[in-house]
Structures are given as C-alpha cells and as structure tokens.
Amino acid sequence: MLERATKQWEQEGKLGWRDLEARPFLGFKHTVAEAYEYAGKLNQALEHYQAILSADEGDPLGVRFRILSIYARTLQWQKAEELANAYKDGDHHWDDQIIVPLLVAAIVTDREVAARSLMEDLITVNLNLSTLLTSEDPYAMIIDLSSSKLYRSNSIESLALLSAICCRLWCILFMSWSGCGILMRS
C-alpha cells in the first residue's frame, strides 16, 4: 500500500504539507517512519523522514527532530551538524529540540569544544535549564514534567522531556559499548 501511494505521490511531484491532498499520504508516511524507528530499523525510518523533509523543507511535521535523533543514535555527527545548522537561521528558531540531540551526538563522538558551545547555546535559549540542574531531585522533576501532554519549545517541560529521551539514549549507547548491543563506538 505504501509503495503504491509513494509512486502516485512521486508522479504528482512530491507535494508538500500545504497541498491538502498530500497531507493524508505524508501523515501515513510519518506513521510508517515512526513504526520503523520504534522497531529499531533506523535506516528505513530515516529514509521516510528524509523524504517527508525533502517534500516540504518548512517541516510542519517536525521530522528534522526525529532525523537529528537518529543521527545522534547512529553517531553521524557531520550529518547531524549539517541538518541542525540548516535550521539555525531563517524561519525556524534554534531551540532545545535541535540543540539536545546535537549535544548528545557531540558528547558521544568526543567533540568537547562543540559540546561546550552547544551547552552554552542551550543555556541561552532555555533559561529553565538552571532550575532543572539545581533542583533537589532533578530525576523526580524530569519524570513528573516529561509526562506532561503540553509541549512548549524552550520550556522546562521540554527540557524534562528531552532529558528523559536522552536517558534512554544513554542506556542504549551504554549497552552497545559494553558489548550488549550491535552499535559499536568508532
């Protein structure tokens, strides 16, 4: 079904989100990409996310954040940096959803200077970071705030949500480096 819909979409010129008739297909493609991502099939997920982004670089579905996450998990620093920088200026603002995955990628690929710079950027765009870091029980705060259904860019809730995601990422990377997984550190 996806192959048939993709062929039709490609024949119609890969219309973006602004075309109301393309929205059901792009939404379906996004759902497929998420399913691949959650199943650990990151290359397949990346292929679908990139197709969505290339169809509409305005990125109304926010796939750039998912792509950045995949780049961080697969230790593709250069690609993560290029994508993040493409959204640093212009209509999109530099926010914690871009900075945090890039920061993780910088840390795990031993780019200390870049990591320090990104941490400074994060402190600049999200003034709530000090609240999270100076909390008596930051883990409880992360768990409590990350369960919030409300997401606001550069808010304390966004930091909690991203912290929870990063904790899962660190667990995956640790298991991989310790020989329990298939991802190897280069």
Side-chain angles (χ1 to χ4, degrees):
M1 187 168 130
L2 179 63
E3 287 177 24
R4 234 178 326 152
T6 300
K7 285 179 186 176
Q8 180 181 354
W9 180 59
E10 288 174 346
Q11 290 172 351
E12 293 172 358
K14 291 186 175 182
L15 301 172
W17 191 255
R18 290 184 190 110
D19 178 12
L20 295 177
E21 292 179 14
R23 287 184 181 186
F25 173 74
L26 292 172
F28 177 61
K29 195 161 185 65
H30 189 271
T31 300
V32 169
E34 284 180 324
Y36 276 130
E37 184 179 359
Y38 293 131
K41 296 179 182 267
L42 300 180
N43 289 333
Q44 291 92 332
L46 189 58
E47 183 180 312
H48 288 285
Y49 287 138
Q50 287 172 330
I52 294 168
L53 187 60
S54 71
D56 193 337
E57 292 183 3
D59 194 22
L61 293 174
V63 296
R64 66 187 176 278
F65 307 122
R66 303 306 272 270
I67 294 171
L68 276 170
S69 171
I70 291 172
Y71 286 158
R73 294 185 329 203
T74 56
L75 308 178
Q76 297 182 61
W77 165 258
Q78 191 68 36
K79 289 182 179 182
E81 184 181 40
E82 287 171 13
L83 180 61
N85 285 335
Y87 287 93
K88 191 169 187 174
D89 299 316
D91 294 339
H92 298 82
H93 58 282
W94 189 247
D95 68 2
D96 47 22
Q97 289 188 90
I98 290 178
I99 296 170
V100 170
L102 193 58
L103 175 61
V104 169
I107 292 169
V108 298
T109 59
D110 296 323
R111 287 174 169 76
E112 186 177 338
V113 173
R116 287 181 188 276
S117 175
L118 288 164
M119 191 63 180
E120 289 172 10
D121 289 345
L122 183 58
I123 291 167
T124 301
V125 302
N126 195 324
L127 302 175
N128 295 300
L129 184 61
S130 61
T131 303
L132 184 65
L133 295 176
T134 58
S135 169
E136 286 184 29
D137 191 359
Y139 303 110
M141 184 181 237
I142 288 169
I143 291 168
D144 189 41
L145 290 170
S146 65
S147 64
S148 171
K149 300 292 183 220
L150 177 65
Y151 182 87
R152 290 184 332 262
S153 183
N154 299 327
S155 66
I156 189 141
E157 293 84 3
S158 69
L159 285 173
L161 179 62
L162 290 166
S163 298
I165 292 168
C166 287
C167 288
R168 287 194 297 270
L169 175 60
W170 282 114
C171 290
I172 291 167
L173 291 171
F174 175 76
M175 288 175 46
S176 300
W177 291 337
S178 65
C180 299
I182 57 171
L183 179 66
M184 300 302 290
R185 185 175 187 195
S186 54

